[in-house]
Amino acid sequence: MMRALLILLVIALFTLPMAAQTAGDYPSEIETQARDIGRKLRCVVCQNQSIEDSDAPLAADMRHMVRERLAAGQSEAQIMDFMQQSYGDFVLRNPPVQGNTALLWYGPPALLVILLLWFVLRRKPAS
Amino acid sequence: MNIKALLPLLIFVAFCAALAIGLTRDPAKLPSQLINQPFPEFEQSTLFDENQLIDESILKGQISVVNVFGSWCVSCIYEHPGLMEMQKLSGFQMVGINWRDKREAGQNWLAENGNPYDVVIFDPASVLAVDIGVVGAPETYVVDKTGQIRYKFSGALTPEVVVREILPLIATLQEET
């Protein structure tokens, strides 16, 4: 019984989820690049998914736009710029390093350094 | 009593304060990138005539209230009577963006509920919608005479928003040349 369950579990783990979106009529290198870009763009409707993962109609349109722009010869940077112009930093899943994100990027390392320093300095008198 | 013993409590209070401030901010509300930016260039057909192409030049020379809607959009119904009332006022034009819709469904919806728009842009594939940063319908923009976006409201308009924010803004925009 356990064995059968285990086998089922293993099978389940190896079944990769089917790609949610239907592959378009674009060549495979554009498709690969588009998926890569799509994973870096946030779906503005559902917020915690990338446009590649989201089933929202707007995300579908955005995916389509990414492919169209790639096919028209635009670079990844140009597409990210375009999306950022419409939806702001919010659309980027990797927040840019700038003034209002400084705490986010430098806070944790700074905290680590402070704690290490504190730890080291505190130990000295004991020894 | 030493201060050190109070430190964890202080940190906890500061943490709670940070969380409390976080709670008051609505994560679903995205800041609009396009306030004080020119309305993006576009070329789309109108809802009622697929052969008639219009572009951003329709927004120049007069103040426009641009409203994103769709026949599928549930909350658009709620603001619709308000838009019909706004249509009766003068001093600005009403521009609709029929978003992610079927042409016929959009036309029928307006026939059924009344058409408050002077012109309706048909945008089935979100081309214009993504350009202006639409997240969900309904959304409403106020565009000044030079074609700059001056105001954005997400969600169904309420009489309060129209009377307190949009109409006064239009009045001040009238003064601008």
Side-chain angles (χ1 to χ4, degrees):
Chain A
M1 181 61 193
M2 278 310 282
R3 214 184 134 91
L5 278 177
L6 203 68
I7 290 168
L8 264 179
L9 180 69
V10 169
I11 292 172
L13 284 175
F14 277 96
T15 328
L16 288 170
M18 290 294 169
Q21 57 278 133
T22 46
D25 315 316
Y26 295 100
S28 63
E29 63 263 37
I30 284 191
E31 189 58 35
T32 329
Q33 208 187 347
R35 290 199 180 181
D36 193 45
I37 294 172
R39 275 190 283 271
K40 295 176 188 163
L41 289 170
R42 185 193 306 275
C43 164
V44 285
V45 182
C46 23
Q47 307 212 345
N48 284 331
Q49 282 183 308
S50 74
I51 61 168
E52 273 315 302
D53 297 331
S54 171
D55 278 335
L58 182 59
D61 285 346
M62 285 167 79
R63 281 199 295 274
H64 183 68
M65 268 171 222
V66 169
R67 281 156 182 76
E68 253 182 0
R69 277 163 191 268
L70 279 175
Q74 288 200 359
S75 69
E76 175 173 337
Q78 278 174 309
I79 295 171
M80 298 304 258
D81 264 4
F82 162 73
M83 290 293 179
Q84 202 182 352
Q85 234 167 47
S86 295
Y87 291 111
D89 292 340
F90 189 82
V91 81
L92 308 176
R93 293 187 82 215
N94 195 9
V97 183
Q98 58 192 26
N100 61 347
T101 57
L103 192 65
L104 177 72
W105 281 103
Y106 302 121
L111 197 66
L112 190 71
V113 170
I114 290 168
L115 284 177
L116 276 176
L117 272 177
W118 180 70
F119 190 68
V120 169
L121 291 176
R122 225 172 86 107
R123 278 182 63 165
K124 271 213 168 130
S127 63
Chain B
M1 190 67 195
N2 58 12
I3 298 169
K4 252 190 182 169
L6 280 175
L7 203 61
L9 184 69
L10 284 176
I11 292 172
F12 178 71
V13 169
F15 187 65
C16 284
L19 290 184
I21 292 168
L23 274 179
T24 63
R25 298 168 66 178
D26 182 1
K29 213 168 190 174
L30 309 185
S32 179
Q33 291 300 305
L34 290 150
I35 299 294
N36 295 329
Q37 299 285 319
F39 198 90
E41 292 173 13
F42 66 91
E43 189 177 61
Q44 303 279 112
S45 66
T46 63
L47 176 64
F48 292 100
D49 184 359
E50 55 186 307
N51 298 316
Q52 188 193 358
L53 291 176
I54 47 175
D55 58 28
E56 69 283 355
S57 65
I58 59 156
L59 298 170
K60 303 227 166 96
Q62 59 178 323
I63 296 166
S64 315
V65 171
V66 181
N67 179 253
V68 181
F69 75 103
S71 65
W72 47 268
C73 158
V74 184
S75 44
C76 291
I77 287 282
Y78 294 101
E79 65 169 16
H80 207 72
L83 295 176
M84 295 301 286
E85 286 303 309
M86 284 173 80
Q87 169 64 39
K88 294 177 190 160
L89 306 173
S90 59
F92 58 92
Q93 66 170 343
M94 303 272 291
V95 178
I97 300 178
N98 185 229
W99 179 42
R100 282 203 66 88
D101 214 343
K102 297 216 163 56
R103 204 177 275 277
E104 203 177 312
Q107 289 174 356
N108 287 344
W109 194 82
L110 287 180
E112 223 167 273
N113 299 297
N115 180 1
Y117 308 111
D118 298 300
V119 56
V120 185
I121 304 164
F122 185 55
D123 186 21
S126 308
V127 176
L128 176 57
V130 167
D131 268 349
I132 57 177
V134 169
V135 172
E139 272 182 24
T140 305
Y141 299 78
V142 177
V143 181
D144 70 15
K145 293 175 195 166
T146 64
Q148 275 205 346
I149 298 177
R150 301 296 286 269
Y151 175 87
K152 174 185 179 179
F153 184 84
S154 303
L157 291 171
T158 60
E160 208 177 23
V161 172
V162 174
V163 171
R164 287 219 185 132
E165 293 176 23
I166 294 181
L167 295 183
L169 174 66
I170 289 172
T172 52
L173 292 182
Q174 293 289 11
E175 309 291 313
E176 294 178 8
T177 44

